[in-house]
Amino acid sequence: MGNNLQDVPDIVVGRLPIYLRALSAMQASGKQYTSSHELAEWLGISSAQIRKDLSHFGEFGKQGTGYSVAGLHDQLRHILHLNREWPLIIVGAGNIGSAVASYTGFAQRGFRVIGAFDNDPSKIGTKVGPFIVHDNREIPAFVKENHVRHAMIAVPAEYAQQVADLLVASGITGILNYAPINLSVPAKVRVEYIDPVLHLQKMTYYFE
Amino acid sequence: MGNNLQDVPDIVVGRLPIYLRALSAMQASGKQYTSSHELAEWLGISSAQIRKDLSHFGEFGKQGTGYSVAGLHDQLRHILHLNREWPLIIVGAGNIGSAVASYTGFAQRGFRVIGAFDNDPSKIGTKVGPFIVHDNREIPAFVKENHVRHAMIAVPAEYAQQVADLLVASGITGILNYAPINLSVPAKVRVEYIDPVLHLQKMTYYFE
DNA sequence: TAGATTGTTAATCGATTAACAATC
DNA sequence: TAGATTGTTAATCGATTAACAATC
């Protein structure tokens, strides 16, 4: 019941990848079946929440038995459109950009970095991970040719907005921003943020 | 009113670093005063929420005028215990660990990496950023000597839990986990998670 | 002063949880 | 069958927002 995208709260969508990640770990450990209770304990949330979240998309369990680990895993992959490989680009070839370009964890989870860009002449032409760094000016053509939807921004904060503008103009509709600054983009473009310092600062509130 | 730590919802605490980050940017641009409305537009949230959040900690504004950028910035730094420098260690000297060790963005925001560790003999003794990588076995002594409270985990998922156990046993009370796996730790220990793939997977739900 | 904006209250909105009939 | 667990409903809980008196 309720398969309309509009029906599903954003906060629920945000938990699906967490469920998927837990199911992958269970699958890797050879587990065949699980239950909302087991998943809940694993993740530190309530079993009712897991059942409620899943109920937005269908009925995936069996009374008395629970969920097939592989079955629910596949359903979630499908719901999240991860049964294909999404190409990604990374803009910024500094420390963070290099680490992201070299990160091998994308492939098994639905994504593949296919290009790296920077506007610094001293970086263009060098390699980060397996990629030769190209000039930012090549982004629009590259994005169009390769039907890229996602980009990661790993440039200094002062350049992040102009890079975002370029990405949006190039047709990118999902941005993962590593620069510690809020971006302003059209409503149709999704932006997610990663800033480790925010997490650390949140913790220190509770210290001392 | 309401300066009791228990009073303040965790979700409110999580927004304070975002406000602080915005105020830093305003300060850098030479702005003297701001208002809840301006901050709200900047951050894409409601002005009422900002005023409500701040009201948990005191009265920082003036009717008709708004907030002193520098004043509110300092208040938030104080509330978040950022008017000192917190030492950090990083465990795992791979791509992510190296990037984090080299990241220069911690210093201005209350943190400083002071040590890097790994258990791989081929990495111990090498340099990541400005640090020589030490053996994980040196963690307990190092944490005690330097009164370290925070650690970042950047090891493969399969080792993350045992590293977390070692950190907790060493006296670490705040963990920022870059490994894509949920950690199980005592209630007194805070854990925050960074997994870029979760963010990307959330976005693809809305694609196509 | 007149205009603007705060801090706070009360109302609204939405998310989480408890409980249980259905059923494997 | 007996035990276990789902999917769903209704109740609870908590967070967000609208509105406004106070006042700079």
Tab-separated table of all heavy atoms in Angstrom, chain A residues 91-139:
chain	number	residue	atom	x	y	z
A	91	VAL	N	34.638	16.778	-8.127
A	91	VAL	CA	35.259	18.059	-8.463
A	91	VAL	C	36.114	18.492	-7.276
A	91	VAL	O	35.602	18.631	-6.152
A	91	VAL	CB	34.205	19.132	-8.770
A	91	VAL	CG1	34.890	20.407	-9.268
A	91	VAL	CG2	33.195	18.630	-9.798
A	92	GLY	N	37.399	18.709	-7.540
A	92	GLY	CA	38.333	19.034	-6.466
A	92	GLY	C	39.284	17.883	-6.255
A	92	GLY	O	38.856	16.798	-5.863
A	93	ALA	N	40.554	18.104	-6.508
A	93	ALA	CA	41.531	17.014	-6.447
A	93	ALA	C	42.532	17.237	-5.327
A	93	ALA	O	43.712	16.917	-5.446
A	93	ALA	CB	42.228	16.859	-7.796
A	94	GLY	N	42.049	17.777	-4.222
A	94	GLY	CA	42.888	17.925	-3.026
A	94	GLY	C	42.859	16.646	-2.212
A	94	GLY	O	42.610	15.561	-2.739
A	95	ASN	N	43.082	16.777	-0.915
A	95	ASN	CA	43.106	15.597	-0.050
A	95	ASN	C	41.820	14.795	-0.116
A	95	ASN	O	41.835	13.591	-0.307
A	95	ASN	CB	43.298	16.017	1.417
A	95	ASN	CG	44.693	16.548	1.673
A	95	ASN	OD1	45.647	16.039	1.109
A	95	ASN	ND2	44.791	17.571	2.500
A	96	ILE	N	40.705	15.507	0.076
A	96	ILE	CA	39.435	14.799	0.153
A	96	ILE	C	39.062	14.232	-1.207
A	96	ILE	O	38.669	13.075	-1.326
A	96	ILE	CB	38.317	15.734	0.662
A	96	ILE	CG1	38.667	16.246	2.060
A	96	ILE	CG2	36.986	15.008	0.684
A	96	ILE	CD1	37.790	17.388	2.526
A	97	GLY	N	39.198	15.047	-2.246
A	97	GLY	CA	38.883	14.584	-3.589
A	97	GLY	C	39.693	13.360	-3.973
A	97	GLY	O	39.159	12.410	-4.560
A	98	SER	N	40.967	13.363	-3.617
A	98	SER	CA	41.818	12.214	-3.937
A	98	SER	C	41.353	10.969	-3.199
A	98	SER	O	41.304	9.873	-3.775
A	98	SER	CB	43.273	12.504	-3.548
A	98	SER	OG	43.730	13.654	-4.215
A	99	ALA	N	41.011	11.139	-1.925
A	99	ALA	CA	40.560	9.987	-1.142
A	99	ALA	C	39.284	9.416	-1.732
A	99	ALA	O	39.128	8.197	-1.876
A	99	ALA	CB	40.335	10.388	0.316
A	100	VAL	N	38.363	10.300	-2.110
A	100	VAL	CA	37.094	9.857	-2.681
A	100	VAL	C	37.322	9.162	-4.024
A	100	VAL	O	36.727	8.121	-4.309
A	100	VAL	CB	36.142	11.058	-2.841
A	100	VAL	CG1	34.970	10.709	-3.727
A	100	VAL	CG2	35.655	11.529	-1.476
A	101	ALA	N	38.221	9.726	-4.831
A	101	ALA	CA	38.495	9.130	-6.139
A	101	ALA	C	39.109	7.736	-5.996
A	101	ALA	O	38.918	6.877	-6.858
A	101	ALA	CB	39.434	10.031	-6.942
A	102	SER	N	39.809	7.519	-4.897
A	102	SER	CA	40.489	6.235	-4.688
A	102	SER	C	39.631	5.240	-3.907
A	102	SER	O	39.998	4.078	-3.773
A	102	SER	CB	41.786	6.449	-3.906
A	102	SER	OG	42.592	7.424	-4.532
A	103	TYR	N	38.537	5.723	-3.365
A	103	TYR	CA	37.705	4.885	-2.495
A	103	TYR	C	37.085	3.742	-3.291
A	103	TYR	O	36.461	3.948	-4.341
A	103	TYR	CB	36.604	5.748	-1.880
A	103	TYR	CG	35.696	5.031	-0.909
A	103	TYR	CD1	36.199	4.374	0.207
A	103	TYR	CD2	34.308	5.020	-1.097
A	103	TYR	CE1	35.361	3.737	1.102
A	103	TYR	CE2	33.460	4.390	-0.207
A	103	TYR	CZ	33.996	3.746	0.892
A	103	TYR	OH	33.158	3.118	1.776
A	104	THR	N	37.268	2.518	-2.812
A	104	THR	CA	36.786	1.360	-3.562
A	104	THR	C	35.396	0.917	-3.103
A	104	THR	O	34.854	-0.062	-3.608
A	104	THR	CB	37.752	0.174	-3.381
A	104	THR	OG1	37.906	-0.072	-1.981
A	104	THR	CG2	39.108	0.479	-3.999
A	105	GLY	N	34.837	1.643	-2.167
A	105	GLY	CA	33.571	1.220	-1.589
A	105	GLY	C	32.328	1.576	-2.393
A	105	GLY	O	31.228	1.170	-2.045
A	106	PHE	N	32.479	2.335	-3.464
A	106	PHE	CA	31.296	2.725	-4.230
A	106	PHE	C	30.732	1.580	-5.062
A	106	PHE	O	29.523	1.378	-5.131
A	106	PHE	CB	31.629	3.900	-5.169
A	106	PHE	CG	31.907	5.192	-4.468
A	106	PHE	CD1	33.144	5.805	-4.543
A	106	PHE	CD2	30.910	5.815	-3.726
A	106	PHE	CE1	33.403	7.006	-3.892
A	106	PHE	CE2	31.150	7.019	-3.071
A	106	PHE	CZ	32.404	7.611	-3.155
A	107	ALA	N	31.650	0.848	-5.709
A	107	ALA	CA	31.253	-0.121	-6.741
A	107	ALA	C	30.205	-1.119	-6.261
A	107	ALA	O	29.194	-1.332	-6.935
A	107	ALA	CB	32.489	-0.843	-7.258
A	108	GLN	N	30.424	-1.700	-5.079
A	108	GLN	CA	29.483	-2.736	-4.620
A	108	GLN	C	28.147	-2.150	-4.204
A	108	GLN	O	27.232	-2.886	-3.894
A	108	GLN	CB	30.054	-3.485	-3.407
A	108	GLN	CG	31.520	-3.841	-3.486
A	108	GLN	CD	32.265	-3.325	-2.270
A	108	GLN	OE1	31.883	-3.587	-1.132
A	108	GLN	NE2	33.349	-2.577	-2.503
A	109	ARG	N	28.056	-0.816	-4.163
A	109	ARG	CA	26.843	-0.235	-3.593
A	109	ARG	C	26.098	0.665	-4.576
A	109	ARG	O	25.273	1.471	-4.188
A	109	ARG	CB	27.183	0.489	-2.287
A	109	ARG	CG	27.753	-0.482	-1.241
A	109	ARG	CD	28.331	0.230	-0.043
A	109	ARG	NE	27.322	0.788	0.844
A	109	ARG	CZ	27.564	1.687	1.793
A	109	ARG	NH1	28.802	2.125	1.976
A	109	ARG	NH2	26.597	2.146	2.550
A	110	GLY	N	26.410	0.518	-5.862
A	110	GLY	CA	25.581	1.156	-6.881
A	110	GLY	C	26.180	2.358	-7.589
A	110	GLY	O	25.506	2.964	-8.424
A	111	PHE	N	27.426	2.701	-7.274
A	111	PHE	CA	27.997	3.921	-7.846
A	111	PHE	C	29.388	3.656	-8.417
A	111	PHE	O	30.075	2.725	-8.007
A	111	PHE	CB	28.063	5.012	-6.772
A	111	PHE	CG	26.699	5.345	-6.229
A	111	PHE	CD1	26.186	4.657	-5.134
A	111	PHE	CD2	25.904	6.291	-6.854
A	111	PHE	CE1	24.910	4.919	-4.662
A	111	PHE	CE2	24.633	6.557	-6.390
A	111	PHE	CZ	24.131	5.875	-5.292
A	112	ARG	N	29.779	4.487	-9.362
A	112	ARG	CA	31.143	4.410	-9.856
A	112	ARG	C	31.646	5.782	-10.245
A	112	ARG	O	31.025	6.476	-11.053
A	112	ARG	CB	31.237	3.482	-11.063
A	112	ARG	CG	32.700	3.189	-11.391
A	112	ARG	CD	32.865	2.090	-12.387
A	112	ARG	NE	32.460	2.540	-13.705
A	112	ARG	CZ	32.730	1.893	-14.828
A	112	ARG	NH1	33.362	0.728	-14.788
A	112	ARG	NH2	32.336	2.370	-15.982
A	113	VAL	N	32.741	6.179	-9.660
A	113	VAL	CA	33.383	7.431	-10.053
A	113	VAL	C	33.950	7.235	-11.445
A	113	VAL	O	34.628	6.239	-11.709
A	113	VAL	CB	34.508	7.822	-9.069
A	113	VAL	CG1	35.171	9.119	-9.525
A	113	VAL	CG2	33.957	7.979	-7.656
A	114	ILE	N	33.619	8.169	-12.361
A	114	ILE	CA	34.129	8.025	-13.728
A	114	ILE	C	34.942	9.237	-14.177
A	114	ILE	O	35.445	9.249	-15.296
A	114	ILE	CB	32.994	7.768	-14.749
A	114	ILE	CG1	32.028	8.966	-14.801
A	114	ILE	CG2	32.240	6.486	-14.425
A	114	ILE	CD1	31.147	8.949	-16.037
A	115	GLY	N	35.069	10.251	-13.297
A	115	GLY	CA	35.874	11.396	-13.719
A	115	GLY	C	36.223	12.295	-12.552
A	115	GLY	O	35.469	12.372	-11.580
A	116	ALA	N	37.372	12.963	-12.656
A	116	ALA	CA	37.820	13.885	-11.615
A	116	ALA	C	38.221	15.207	-12.259
A	116	ALA	O	38.835	15.221	-13.327
A	116	ALA	CB	39.000	13.290	-10.845
A	117	PHE	N	37.862	16.304	-11.599
A	117	PHE	CA	38.077	17.635	-12.180
A	117	PHE	C	38.651	18.595	-11.143
A	117	PHE	O	38.420	18.453	-9.939
A	117	PHE	CB	36.753	18.188	-12.719
A	117	PHE	CG	36.149	17.332	-13.796
A	117	PHE	CD1	35.323	16.255	-13.474
A	117	PHE	CD2	36.427	17.582	-15.137
A	117	PHE	CE1	34.786	15.454	-14.469
A	117	PHE	CE2	35.894	16.781	-16.136
A	117	PHE	CZ	35.073	15.724	-15.799
A	118	ASP	N	39.362	19.591	-11.647
A	118	ASP	CA	39.871	20.656	-10.787
A	118	ASP	C	40.117	21.860	-11.692
A	118	ASP	O	40.196	21.720	-12.911
A	118	ASP	CB	41.179	20.226	-10.101
A	118	ASP	CG	41.419	20.980	-8.791
A	118	ASP	OD1	41.559	22.223	-8.847
A	118	ASP	OD2	41.465	20.344	-7.727
A	119	ASN	N	40.225	23.048	-11.106
A	119	ASN	CA	40.539	24.198	-11.957
A	119	ASN	C	41.968	24.692	-11.742
A	119	ASN	O	42.378	25.702	-12.315
A	119	ASN	CB	39.527	25.338	-11.769
A	119	ASN	CG	39.662	25.995	-10.418
A	119	ASN	OD1	40.420	25.513	-9.577
A	119	ASN	ND2	38.920	27.076	-10.203
A	120	ASP	N	42.709	23.966	-10.912
A	120	ASP	CA	44.095	24.350	-10.637
A	120	ASP	C	45.022	23.739	-11.696
A	120	ASP	O	45.134	22.517	-11.797
A	120	ASP	CB	44.464	23.834	-9.242
A	120	ASP	CG	45.897	24.149	-8.859
A	120	ASP	OD1	46.692	24.548	-9.734
A	120	ASP	OD2	46.229	23.963	-7.671
A	121	PRO	N	45.675	24.607	-12.494
A	121	PRO	CA	46.536	24.103	-13.580
A	121	PRO	C	47.601	23.125	-13.078
A	121	PRO	O	48.002	22.218	-13.808
A	121	PRO	CB	47.189	25.381	-14.132
A	121	PRO	CG	46.275	26.485	-13.726
A	121	PRO	CD	45.661	26.075	-12.430
A	122	SER	N	48.034	23.302	-11.825
A	122	SER	CA	49.081	22.411	-11.321
A	122	SER	C	48.526	21.016	-11.012
A	122	SER	O	49.279	20.065	-10.797
A	122	SER	CB	49.730	23.010	-10.075
A	122	SER	OG	48.891	22.830	-8.949
A	123	LYS	N	47.216	20.907	-10.956
A	123	LYS	CA	46.628	19.582	-10.690
A	123	LYS	C	46.111	18.915	-11.952
A	123	LYS	O	46.078	17.690	-12.051
A	123	LYS	CB	45.486	19.715	-9.674
A	123	LYS	CG	46.020	19.950	-8.273
A	123	LYS	CD	44.938	19.817	-7.219
A	123	LYS	CE	45.474	20.142	-5.836
A	123	LYS	NZ	44.584	21.048	-5.098
A	124	ILE	N	45.686	19.736	-12.913
A	124	ILE	CA	45.148	19.193	-14.156
A	124	ILE	C	46.232	18.369	-14.849
A	124	ILE	O	47.372	18.802	-14.976
A	124	ILE	CB	44.655	20.330	-15.083
A	124	ILE	CG1	43.469	21.032	-14.419
A	124	ILE	CG2	44.274	19.805	-16.460
A	124	ILE	CD1	43.119	22.382	-15.025
A	125	GLY	N	45.851	17.152	-15.247
A	125	GLY	CA	46.813	16.279	-15.906
A	125	GLY	C	47.485	15.298	-14.962
A	125	GLY	O	48.008	14.278	-15.385
A	126	THR	N	47.444	15.594	-13.640
A	126	THR	CA	47.996	14.636	-12.667
A	126	THR	C	46.943	13.549	-12.419
A	126	THR	O	45.810	13.634	-12.892
A	126	THR	CB	48.337	15.319	-11.328
A	126	THR	OG1	47.127	15.782	-10.714
A	126	THR	CG2	49.279	16.496	-11.546
A	127	LYS	N	47.347	12.548	-11.667
A	127	LYS	CA	46.416	11.456	-11.396
A	127	LYS	C	45.919	11.492	-9.953
A	127	LYS	O	46.704	11.762	-9.026
A	127	LYS	CB	47.114	10.119	-11.637
A	127	LYS	CG	46.960	9.614	-13.072
A	127	LYS	CD	47.376	8.162	-13.189
A	127	LYS	CE	46.417	7.365	-14.049
A	127	LYS	NZ	46.788	5.940	-14.137
A	128	VAL	N	44.634	11.248	-9.763
A	128	VAL	CA	44.105	10.972	-8.423
A	128	VAL	C	43.426	9.623	-8.515
A	128	VAL	O	42.526	9.427	-9.332
A	128	VAL	CB	43.103	12.040	-7.922
A	128	VAL	CG1	43.816	13.351	-7.628
A	128	VAL	CG2	41.953	12.251	-8.863
A	129	GLY	N	43.865	8.694	-7.670
A	129	GLY	CA	43.395	7.322	-7.829
A	129	GLY	C	43.656	6.907	-9.268
A	129	GLY	O	44.738	7.185	-9.808
A	130	PRO	N	42.688	6.313	-9.941
A	130	PRO	CA	42.917	5.856	-11.306
A	130	PRO	C	42.586	6.911	-12.365
A	130	PRO	O	42.595	6.601	-13.556
A	130	PRO	CB	41.950	4.666	-11.424
A	130	PRO	CG	40.864	4.962	-10.451
A	130	PRO	CD	41.404	5.883	-9.393
A	131	PHE	N	42.310	8.146	-11.953
A	131	PHE	CA	41.817	9.160	-12.883
A	131	PHE	C	42.816	10.266	-13.166
A	131	PHE	O	43.504	10.731	-12.260
A	131	PHE	CB	40.543	9.821	-12.339
A	131	PHE	CG	39.486	8.833	-12.008
A	131	PHE	CD1	39.244	8.473	-10.690
A	131	PHE	CD2	38.759	8.229	-13.024
A	131	PHE	CE1	38.288	7.516	-10.392
A	131	PHE	CE2	37.797	7.283	-12.727
A	131	PHE	CZ	37.559	6.926	-11.409
A	132	ILE	N	42.837	10.680	-14.412
A	132	ILE	CA	43.574	11.891	-14.756
A	132	ILE	C	42.650	13.068	-14.483
A	132	ILE	O	41.478	13.053	-14.880
A	132	ILE	CB	44.014	11.864	-16.235
A	132	ILE	CG1	45.093	10.784	-16.408
A	132	ILE	CG2	44.552	13.227	-16.666
A	132	ILE	CD1	45.468	10.517	-17.840
A	133	VAL	N	43.176	14.067	-13.809
A	133	VAL	CA	42.364	15.235	-13.455
A	133	VAL	C	42.167	16.111	-14.687
A	133	VAL	O	43.137	16.482	-15.354
A	133	VAL	CB	43.047	16.048	-12.328
A	133	VAL	CG1	42.225	17.287	-11.995
A	133	VAL	CG2	43.261	15.179	-11.091
A	134	HIS	N	40.896	16.428	-14.959
A	134	HIS	CA	40.581	17.299	-16.091
A	134	HIS	C	40.160	18.682	-15.610
A	134	HIS	O	39.784	18.866	-14.452
A	134	HIS	CB	39.475	16.664	-16.947
A	134	HIS	CG	39.975	15.526	-17.771
A	134	HIS	ND1	40.396	15.649	-19.078
A	134	HIS	CD2	40.163	14.220	-17.450
A	134	HIS	CE1	40.798	14.479	-19.528
A	134	HIS	NE2	40.669	13.581	-18.558
A	135	ASP	N	40.217	19.612	-16.528
A	135	ASP	CA	39.836	20.996	-16.244
A	135	ASP	C	38.331	21.083	-15.987
A	135	ASP	O	37.539	20.469	-16.706
A	135	ASP	CB	40.210	21.864	-17.455
A	135	ASP	CG	40.127	23.347	-17.131
A	135	ASP	OD1	39.049	23.811	-16.706
A	135	ASP	OD2	41.144	24.039	-17.298
A	136	ASN	N	37.965	21.880	-14.988
A	136	ASN	CA	36.544	22.097	-14.696
A	136	ASN	C	35.748	22.476	-15.935
A	136	ASN	O	34.556	22.169	-16.034
A	136	ASN	CB	36.378	23.221	-13.667
A	136	ASN	CG	36.615	22.741	-12.242
A	136	ASN	OD1	36.908	21.561	-12.020
A	136	ASN	ND2	36.490	23.652	-11.284
A	137	ARG	N	36.405	23.169	-16.871
A	137	ARG	CA	35.684	23.612	-18.062
A	137	ARG	C	35.185	22.455	-18.915
A	137	ARG	O	34.298	22.617	-19.751
A	137	ARG	CB	36.574	24.543	-18.900
A	137	ARG	CG	36.663	25.939	-18.293
A	137	ARG	CD	37.650	26.807	-19.025
A	137	ARG	NE	39.031	26.345	-18.795
A	137	ARG	CZ	40.119	27.072	-19.034
A	137	ARG	NH1	39.997	28.300	-19.524
A	137	ARG	NH2	41.313	26.595	-18.794
A	138	GLU	N	35.748	21.272	-18.687
A	138	GLU	CA	35.299	20.109	-19.456
A	138	GLU	C	34.073	19.433	-18.836
A	138	GLU	O	33.526	18.475	-19.389
A	138	GLU	CB	36.450	19.099	-19.581
A	138	GLU	CG	37.650	19.662	-20.337
A	138	GLU	CD	38.792	18.641	-20.446
A	138	GLU	OE1	38.516	17.437	-20.580
A	138	GLU	OE2	39.965	19.079	-20.384
A	139	ILE	N	33.663	19.936	-17.667
A	139	ILE	CA	32.556	19.280	-16.960
A	139	ILE	C	31.264	19.218	-17.779
A	139	ILE	O	30.666	18.140	-17.910
A	139	ILE	CB	32.311	19.944	-15.580
A	139	ILE	CG1	33.469	19.608	-14.624
A	139	ILE	CG2	30.994	19.481	-14.975
A	139	ILE	CD1	33.412	20.317	-13.277
